[in-house]
């Protein structure tokens, strides 16, 4: 409470939002927010100048954005005719910022006609998907009730070499995939029992995307983490409710959040220009409402941009790509050793 009172006295609403969210995050309950954690946030919120440093412990900064529930159909073909009860909407109108990222600043993997990208499965639901995405390897986790990953995630590996690492997510269980070592870095996932937060369109400890994004972007601008994960989830929640208009609206909001992030990077000058951005999802069925064991739910996509990625537009892949290939690709960017284990993915060489 002393931290909150200090922020109230400072009259810094932006910092208060960040810290109340951090305190309600999904790191272990024994991991309290400390004064040294908030001093940089106070400095930014109160307008104190701060130097923009280069990356620590890694070759270049990266940002990973996962938008849960986004079908490839909406990303590349637009809204589904007849489902929304309104005229079809072009993909570029739904995903203005995502298309600018994947078509102008960088490239798309898994675009129709350019090869496929799939999750390893066999059950294409959220926790196995995020564990594969952040670990870079197929996982024995087969449902959303799995325990915490026992192998280091990409975030853990970056933290081990001295990088500043953070993860924010709307879904509380994403923390189980983000790190094998809870408390090693900031992982703020879900509302964590905060009765002041309405979880709609989710339930339980879900934290709506607008709150997750506000806290995440405030934190990013204040702390400039070297490896940063942002997990959005409203599209998945609306889809599970069968609300296609709500689903489309949440896709637009997710794209707007991506635009705010890219705008922030643009304002950071050389630091922003050196940052690599990857946007992806873990798969969804053709019926839009579900994901699971159905084979088509394995299909995923990604957009990637940054100075190491020379590819532009829809990138032709010489082989089928996997969700597990994203972390090995980012290990190359970060300058981390490759994972040579049997279940590991491989770098997506066509991006370089």
């Amino acid at each position: 409470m002393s931290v909150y009172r200090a922020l109230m006295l400072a009259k810094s609403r932006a910092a208060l939002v960040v810290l109340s969210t951090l305190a309600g995050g999904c790191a272990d309950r024994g991991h309290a927010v400390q004064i040294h954690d908030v001093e940089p946030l106070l400095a930014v919120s109160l307008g104190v100048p701060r130097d923009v440093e280069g990356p620590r412990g890694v070759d270049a900064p990266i940002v990973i954005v996962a938008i849960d529930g986004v079908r490839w159909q909406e990303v590349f073909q637009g809204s589904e005719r007849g489902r929304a009860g309104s005229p079809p909407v072009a993909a570029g109108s739904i995903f203005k910022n995502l298309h600018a990222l994947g078509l102008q600043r960088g490239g798309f993997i898994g675009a129709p006609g350019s090869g496929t990208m799939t999750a390893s499965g066999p059950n294409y639901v959220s926790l196995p998907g995020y564990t594969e995405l952040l670990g870079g390897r197929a996982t024995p986790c087969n449902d959303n009730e799995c325990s915490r990953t026992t192998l280091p995630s990409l975030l853990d590996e970056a933290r081990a070499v001295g990088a500043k690492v953070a993860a924010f997510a709307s879904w509380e269980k994403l923390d189980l995939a983000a790190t094998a070592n809870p408390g090693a870095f900031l992982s703020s996932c879900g509302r964590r029992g905060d009765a002041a937060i309405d979880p709609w369109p989710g339930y339980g400890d879900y934290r709506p995307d607008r709150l997750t994004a506000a806290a995440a972007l405030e934190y990013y601008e204040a702390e400039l983490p070297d490896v940063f994960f942002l997990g959005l989830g409203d599209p998945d929640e609306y889809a599970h409710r069968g609300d296609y208009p709500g689903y489309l609206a949440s896709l637009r909001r997710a794209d707007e959040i991506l635009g705010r992030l890219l705008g922030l990077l643009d304002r950071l000058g050389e630091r922003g220009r050196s940052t690599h951005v990857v946007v992806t999802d873990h798969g969804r069925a053709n019926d839009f409402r579900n994901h699971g064991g159905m084979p088509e739910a394995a299909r995923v996509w990604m957009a990637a941009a940054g100075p190491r990625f020379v590819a532009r537009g829809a990138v032709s892949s010489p082989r089928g790509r996997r969700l597990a290939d994203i972390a090995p690709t980012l290990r190359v960017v970060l300058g981390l050793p490759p994972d040579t284990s049997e279940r590991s993915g491989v770098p997506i060489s066509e991006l370089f």
Side-chain angles (χ1 to χ4, degrees):
M1 291 299 293
S2 61
V3 173
Y4 295 126
R5 288 177 185 144
L7 292 173
M8 292 288 281
L9 291 172
K11 297 182 180 180
S12 175
R13 291 185 62 194
L16 179 59
V17 169
V18 174
L19 292 178
S20 64
T21 307
L22 300 189
C26 66
D28 277 5
R29 292 187 181 273
H31 180 64
V33 177
Q34 303 294 324
I35 292 294
H36 63 76
D37 294 327
V38 308
E39 286 173 346
L41 300 177
L42 284 169
V44 168
S45 298
L46 299 178
V48 179
R50 183 172 57 88
D51 292 335
V52 176
E53 301 173 342
R56 291 142 289 199
V58 292
D59 291 349
I62 65 168
V63 174
I64 307 167
V65 180
I67 309 175
D68 198 342
V70 184
R71 297 191 307 174
W72 67 268
Q73 289 95 328
E74 277 76 22
V75 172
F76 298 109
Q77 298 178 347
S79 67
E80 186 174 337
R81 185 182 298 272
R83 190 182 288 276
S86 59
V89 182
S93 295
I94 301 171
F95 293 108
K96 177 182 177 182
N97 296 296
L98 178 62
H99 277 224
L101 182 75
L103 297 176
Q104 300 168 23
R105 299 189 184 208
F108 275 116
I109 299 294
S114 298
T116 60
M117 189 176 195
T118 58
S120 296
N123 191 23
Y124 310 105
V125 293
S126 296
L127 191 52
Y130 286 125
T131 303
E132 180 179 356
L133 165 64
L134 294 175
R137 58 188 77 88
T139 172
C141 174
N142 200 36
D143 57 41
N144 288 332
E145 302 307 317
C146 293
S147 58
R148 180 178 302 278
T149 180
T150 59
L151 296 175
S153 70
L154 179 71
L155 281 66
D156 288 322
E157 294 171 21
R159 176 68 180 81
V161 299
K164 191 179 186 84
V165 177
F168 283 73
S170 295
W171 188 43
E172 68 278 7
K173 287 192 175 183
L174 214 152
D175 177 68
L176 300 175
T179 179
N181 186 21
F185 58 82
L186 174 64
S187 181
S188 173
C189 306
R191 66 176 185 146
R192 198 163 168 216
D194 186 348
I197 297 177
D198 181 352
W200 179 267
Y203 56 92
D205 268 349
Y206 184 82
R207 178 176 58 194
D209 284 350
R210 70 183 188 281
L211 300 180
T212 297
L217 296 180
E218 290 277 3
Y219 175 87
Y220 192 93
E221 186 169 12
E223 290 287 296
L224 297 182
D226 305 303
V227 179
F228 187 68
F229 176 81
L230 173 59
L232 303 176
D234 283 7
D236 181 64
E237 301 296 340
Y238 279 104
H240 283 311
R241 295 176 183 276
D243 182 353
Y244 194 73
Y247 170 72
L248 289 180
S250 69
L251 296 183
R252 284 195 171 99
R253 288 191 292 270
D255 186 70
E256 186 270 334
I257 291 167
L258 175 62
R260 288 159 55 195
L261 172 62
L262 296 176
L264 171 56
L265 293 176
D266 289 341
R267 295 194 300 274
L268 290 176
E270 182 56 35
R271 171 74 183 216
R273 287 189 292 272
S274 69
T275 300
H276 295 71
V277 180
V278 165
V279 186
T280 189
D281 180 36
H282 67 79
R284 191 156 210 90
N286 290 339
D287 71 355
F288 121 83
R289 293 191 62 157
N290 301 298
H291 36 208
M294 59 287 289
E296 76 272 15
R299 185 166 179 175
V300 298
W301 53 273
M302 69 173 285
R308 291 292 304 276
F309 299 140
V310 299
R312 295 291 180 271
V315 180
S316 295
S317 295
R319 50 175 287 184
R321 290 299 181 184
R322 299 165 55 205
L323 190 63
D325 294 341
I326 294 178
T329 303
L330 293 176
R331 287 191 185 102
V332 173
V333 173
L334 294 168
L336 297 174
D339 180 354
T340 58
S341 63
E342 181 180 355
R343 300 168 69 89
S344 176
V346 297
I348 303 173
S349 56
E350 58 268 31
L351 283 172
F352 294 95

